[in-house]
Amino acid sequence: MSDTSAPARGAATLHDVAREAGVSLATASRVLNGSTRKVADSYRERVEAAAEKLGYTANLSAQATARGTAAIVALLVADIADPYFGQLAAGVARGADEAGLVVTIAITERDPQREVRLVRALRGQRPRGLILAASRTEGTDAAGLDAELQAFTNMGGRVAVVGPGGGSARHVALDNRGGAAALGAELARLGYREAVVVAASEGIRTSDDRVAGFTQGFASGGGSVREVRRGGFTRDAGYETAQQLLADGLPEGTVVFGISDVVAIGVMSAIRDAGRQVGADIAVAGFDDIATGRDIRPGLTTVHVPLEELGYRALHAATDPEWDATEPPLPLEVVVRGSTPARA
Amino acid sequence: MSDTSAPARGAATLHDVAREAGVSLATASRVLNGSTRKVADSYRERVEAAAEKLGYTANLSAQATARGTAAIVALLVADIADPYFGQLAAGVARGADEAGLVVTIAITERDPQREVRLVRALRGQRPRGLILAASRTEGTDAAGLDAELQAFTNMGGRVAVVGPGGGSARHVALDNRGGAAALGAELARLGYREAVVVAASEGIRTSDDRVAGFTQGFASGGGSVREVRRGGFTRDAGYETAQQLLADGLPEGTVVFGISDVVAIGVMSAIRDAGRQVGADIAVAGFDDIATGRDIRPGLTTVHVPLEELGYRALHAATDPEWDATEPPLPLEVVVRGSTPARA
DNA sequence: TTGTAGGCGTTATCAG
DNA sequence: CTGATAACGCCTACAA
C-alpha cells in the first residue's frame, strides 16, 4: 500500500500514466479515451492499473481543444430558482448524464441584453449544444440574438429552443394554444362565464399563444374574457397585477387565468390578502402544473406540462445528430383542482 | 454591410484575428485576454476591430489547457428541481457571473456512489472550485468521497461545502442547531407542549443538528418531543411519514416539525388528505423558508435561511483565494406564520 | 497492434 | 512595447 509517486502538484497527466504503464502516449490514449478499441489486453490492463493508481482523470479542456468540440451542453434559463425552470433543468441534467455530457448553466434574468451576452460567452466553450429555455423576452434584441445563434450553429453547434422560437433552431414545442383552449373549454363547462387573464407582455409568444387559446376555448363554451392584464412571468408580477385587478373590482364568480402557475400562485395570494376567497368567490387557473400546485390549498387547476420530460427532450434536440423533428408533441392535459369549483 | 469573410466552417481563431489586424498572435492575445495591459492604442484598436468583425470568442478550452485551470466552478446538488437547491443555485450563478466564471452543474440524486463518480468526473474539467451542496447522504462512501475531494484540492482546486461537512474543505455553515432551538423555544412560547419531528435518516448531520436543536429548544420552554420519525429530505418522504404518523394517531394540538420546508409541506398535505386541519388541529413547522412557504395556506412557520445569499457565499468560498473563514455565519431567524397558531 | 510526430487554440517566456 | 516560439494535455493520421 505504499504509494510511491503521488503527484505532488497538479493532476496526473496521460503522459504520467503512459510512463507508469510503460507504453506510449497513443496507447494510453486509446485505452483510456478513444472509442474504437484495438489494444492488446495485457497493455490495456497495465494502462488501466496505472490510471487507477495515479487517480488519472482526462483533462476535458485538453480533450476539447484537441477534438475541436467539448462534451458540454449549455443551458440558458431565465431564473433557476423558478420551479418551472428547475424541473426543466432536472430533465436536461438527466439526459446529459446519460449521454456523458456536462451541463453548463447560465441565467438570463429575463434581460435580452444579458441573453445575447451569455450566448456569446457560452459559445466560447464550444459546447455540442445549446438549450434556450429563457422565454424569449420582450424588447428582445432579436437580431443580436439570432446573429449570435447563427454564429453558434455555423461553428457546428446545435441549438434547441424550448417553446416557440424563430430561426433555424430545433424546437421542442408545446401546444400552448391547444392546452389553453382545452382549459378554457373546461372552465366554461364548469359553469364559468366571465374571465380575466393575467398575462405577460404582448409579443411574448408563449404568453400570446396561451391567451389566444384560452380566449378561444372559453368562448367556444359560451364564456367571454373580459380583460387581459399584462404583467410578467413571475410570482410577484402575478401578485401585483391581481392587486390592481381587485382594486378595480372583481365580481364574484370570475375566473382568473394566470399565464403560468407561478403567476397564478401570485394571483391566489393577492386574492387572499385582499380578504377574498380563492375558489367559490374568485376562481383561479394556471398553466404548467409545477409541483407546488399540488400542495397549496385549494389545489391549482392547470394544464399539465411534463416539464422534466420537456427538458429531457430538449437535451436530445440539442445534441442528437439524428434528432427526429417529427416526434409527436408532448401531450398536455388539463387537471382540475379546487381552485375552480364547479359553479352551480 | 457586405460581410466579406464570414468563416465558413469553425469559429474564428485568435490566429485569424491577428492576421486580420496585421499583428502577431502574442499582441492579439494580450489585448483580447491577458490581464496586464501594455499595448499601443493603435494596435489595440485594430485588434478589437478585427475581433468584432470576425465575431471572435476566445476558445475557453484552449485557454484552460494553456493556463492549466479553467474559469469554471462546479456545483453539486442533490436535486435541482427542489426549490431549496434552486434558490441556492441562483446565488451561486449570480456570484459566478460577477466573477466571470461558468457554472457547471451535476445532480447526485442523493446517491453516494453517484456523488463520488460525479466529483471525479467534474475534476476532469479542472474547475477553479467545487461546491458541494448535496446534503451528505447516508451510507455515504465517506472514504471514497474524501479521497476524491483530496485529489481535487491536491491539484489546486478549492472545495466548499454548504452546511456541515468534514475534511479540509471550506464550509459555509448554517447554525442549524441554534435556528432549530430558537424555533422550538418559540413554539413552546406559543403554547405547544407535544411535538413530533419528521427527520431524515440518522447520521445526516443537517438533520441530526436540527433535531437536536429543536428538542433542546422545545424542552427549554417546557415542551417535549414525543417521537422522531425518520424519512428523507423530500416532499414525498414527508408525506408518507406523516401518513404513518396519522395512522398511528396524532393528538390534536401536537406540532409536527419537518426537518425542512419541503418535508413540512409534504406533512401538511398528508394532514389535509387525512381530513385533519393544519393549524388549530395539528400544527406544522419547517426549516429553510423556501419561497413556496409564503404562498401556501396557512403560511408555513419556519426558520428563515437566506438561501440565495448562502449560494453566493459558497461561490466565494470555492473560488476566492483569500476567503475569510471567520466571516460571521448567516443570521437565521424564525418566522411564525399561520401553520402554528398560538394555543389558548 | 503499437509508436512517432504534428496539430488544436492559447498563454507565457524571452529576446529584439 | 512587440513578436517568435516553446509549452499545455490530448488526439490522430501515418508509419513501423
Side-chain angles (χ1 to χ4, degrees):
Chain A
M1 275 306 172
S2 60
D3 231 57
T4 50
S5 58
R9 196 101 225 156
T13 136
L14 188 59
H15 197 121
D16 300 332
V17 176
R19 187 151 37 75
E20 172 81 24
V23 302
S24 78
L25 237 69
T27 302
S29 172
R30 290 194 265 257
V31 12
L32 261 17
N33 314 304
S35 32
T36 46
R37 41 127 73 192
K38 26 183 177 176
V39 173
D41 284 358
S42 61
Y43 276 14
R44 155 167 264 101
E45 283 166 19
R46 294 232 306 271
V47 172
E48 281 168 345
E52 178 61 28
K53 173 177 176 188
L54 268 42
Y56 170 78
T57 301
N59 182 322
L60 264 35
S61 294
Q63 258 184 196
T65 76
R67 294 210 244 247
T69 168
I72 292 181
V73 56
L75 173 63
L76 214 56
V77 298
D79 171 14
I80 190 61
D82 181 323
Y84 171 87
F85 293 110
Q87 289 182 234
L88 194 83
V92 171
R94 179 165 61 86
D97 188 66
E98 288 176 9
L101 298 171
V102 163
V103 178
T104 257
I105 195 169
I107 317 294
T108 66
E109 290 173 6
R110 299 193 165 78
D111 174 350
Q113 309 230 20
R114 248 182 90 74
E115 191 169 1
V116 178
R117 255 184 40 219
L118 288 174
V119 173
R120 166 172 279 244
L122 291 174
R123 194 146 65 84
Q125 301 199 58
R126 305 288 184 274
R128 244 199 251 331
L130 170 57
I131 300 175
L132 236 58
S135 302
R136 203 157 273 219
T137 19
E138 38 195 326
T140 298
D141 179 5
L145 219 203
D146 285 350
E148 228 29 86
L149 255 30
Q150 195 51 249
F152 182 72
T153 56
N154 277 344
M155 62 185 241
R158 299 176 204 295
V159 14
V161 2
V162 177
S168 58
R170 291 175 172 187
H171 294 202
V172 180
L174 292 191
D175 186 10
N176 282 313
R177 195 177 170 112
L183 175 64
E186 179 62 26
L187 290 174
R189 192 172 315 132
L190 285 172
Y192 292 92
R193 287 296 170 268
E194 292 272 304
V196 172
V197 1
V198 176
S201 307
E202 205 156 358
I204 300 188
R205 276 281 298 276
T206 298
S207 174
D208 291 348
D209 288 349
R210 291 181 182 179
V211 172
F214 180 84
T215 303
Q216 175 209 314
F218 195 51
S220 80
S224 83
V225 171
R226 178 152 35 94
E227 187 184 356
V228 177
R229 274 288 232 277
R230 308 281 173 182
F233 262 114
T234 67
R235 181 262 180 203
D236 289 348
Y239 186 92
E240 285 158 22
T241 308
Q243 260 186 332
Q244 295 173 16
L245 231 31
L246 288 157
D248 295 351
L250 210 48
E252 184 185 331
T254 304
V255 58
V256 179
F257 171 47
I259 213 63
S260 78
D261 280 1
V262 169
V263 168
I265 286 173
V267 169
M268 286 176 78
S269 280
I271 291 173
R272 290 198 191 96
D273 288 354
R276 308 280 299 261
Q277 202 195 340
V278 174
D281 183 355
I282 301 181
V284 177
F287 201 114
D288 287 340
D289 197 21
I290 60 177
T292 314
R294 242 187 350 173
D295 293 309
I296 56 181
R297 286 309 128 109
L300 179 61
T301 289
T302 187
V303 177
H304 177 76
V305 177
L307 260 9
E308 216 259 356
E309 178 67 18
L310 192 60
Y312 188 78
R313 287 208 185 184
L315 183 280
H316 284 293
T319 56
D320 265 1
E322 53 221 42
W323 178 68
D324 186 3
T326 66
E327 210 172 56
L330 288 167
L332 262 35
E333 194 178 342
V334 1
V335 8
V336 177
R337 299 205 182 94
S339 66
T340 59
R343 269 179 72 71
Chain B
M1 275 305 170
S2 60
D3 232 56
T4 50
S5 59
R9 195 103 226 152
T13 139
L14 187 59
H15 197 125
D16 299 334
V17 176
R19 188 151 37 74
E20 172 81 25
V23 302
S24 78
L25 229 65
T27 301
S29 173
R30 287 195 266 259
V31 12
L32 260 18
N33 316 303
S35 31
T36 46
R37 41 127 74 190
K38 26 183 175 178
V39 173
D41 284 357
S42 60
Y43 277 13
R44 155 167 263 102
E45 283 165 19
R46 293 231 307 269
V47 171
E48 282 169 345
E52 177 60 27
K53 173 178 177 188
L54 268 44
Y56 170 78
T57 301
N59 181 322
L60 264 33
S61 293
Q63 261 187 194
T65 75
R67 292 209 245 247
T69 168
I72 292 180
V73 54
L75 173 62
L76 213 56
V77 298
D79 171 15
I80 190 61
D82 181 323
Y84 172 87
F85 293 110
Q87 289 183 234
L88 193 83
V92 171
R94 179 166 61 86
D97 188 67
E98 288 176 8
L101 297 171
V102 163
V103 179
T104 257
I105 195 169
I107 316 294
T108 66
E109 289 172 6
R110 300 192 164 78
D111 174 349
Q113 309 230 21
R114 248 181 92 73
E115 191 169 3
V116 178
R117 256 183 40 219
L118 288 174
V119 172
R120 165 172 281 245
L122 291 174
R123 194 145 66 85
Q125 301 198 60
R126 306 288 185 272
R128 245 200 250 331
L130 170 58
I131 300 176
L132 236 58
S135 301
R136 203 158 274 218
T137 19
E138 39 195 324
T140 296
D141 177 6
L145 219 202
D146 285 350
E148 227 29 87
L149 255 29
Q150 195 51 248
F152 183 72
T153 56
N154 277 344
M155 62 186 241
R158 299 175 204 294
V159 13
V161 2
V162 176
S168 59
R170 291 176 172 186
H171 293 202
V172 180
L174 292 191
D175 185 10
N176 282 313
R177 196 178 168 109
L183 175 65
E186 179 63 26
L187 290 175
R189 192 171 316 131
L190 285 173
Y192 292 93
R193 287 295 170 267
E194 292 273 305
V196 172
V197 358
V198 176
S201 307
E202 204 156 0
I204 300 188
R205 277 281 298 277
T206 298
S207 175
D208 291 349
D209 288 351
R210 291 181 181 180
V211 172
F214 182 83
T215 303
Q216 174 209 314
F218 195 51
S220 80
S224 84
V225 171
R226 177 153 34 95
E227 186 183 357
V228 176
R229 275 289 231 278
R230 307 281 173 183
F233 261 115
T234 67
R235 181 263 181 202
D236 289 347
Y239 186 92
E240 285 157 22
T241 307
Q243 260 186 333
Q244 297 172 15
L245 231 31
L246 288 157
D248 295 350
L250 211 48
E252 185 184 329
T254 304
V255 58
V256 178
F257 171 47
I259 213 63
S260 78
D261 280 1
V262 169
V263 168
I265 286 173
V267 170
M268 287 176 78
S269 280
I271 290 174
R272 291 199 191 96
D273 289 353
R276 308 281 299 261
Q277 202 195 340
V278 174
D281 183 355
I282 300 181
V284 178
F287 202 115
D288 286 340
D289 197 22
I290 59 176
T292 315
R294 244 188 348 173
D295 291 311
I296 56 181
R297 283 311 126 110
L300 180 60
T301 288
T302 188
V303 178
H304 177 75
V305 177
L307 261 8
E308 215 259 356
E309 178 66 19
L310 192 60
Y312 189 77
R313 286 209 186 184
L315 183 280
H316 285 292
T319 55
D320 265 2
E322 52 221 43
W323 179 68
D324 186 4
T326 66
E327 209 172 55
L330 289 168
L332 261 36
E333 194 177 341
V334 1
V335 6
V336 177
R337 298 206 182 93
S339 66
T340 59
R343 271 180 70 71

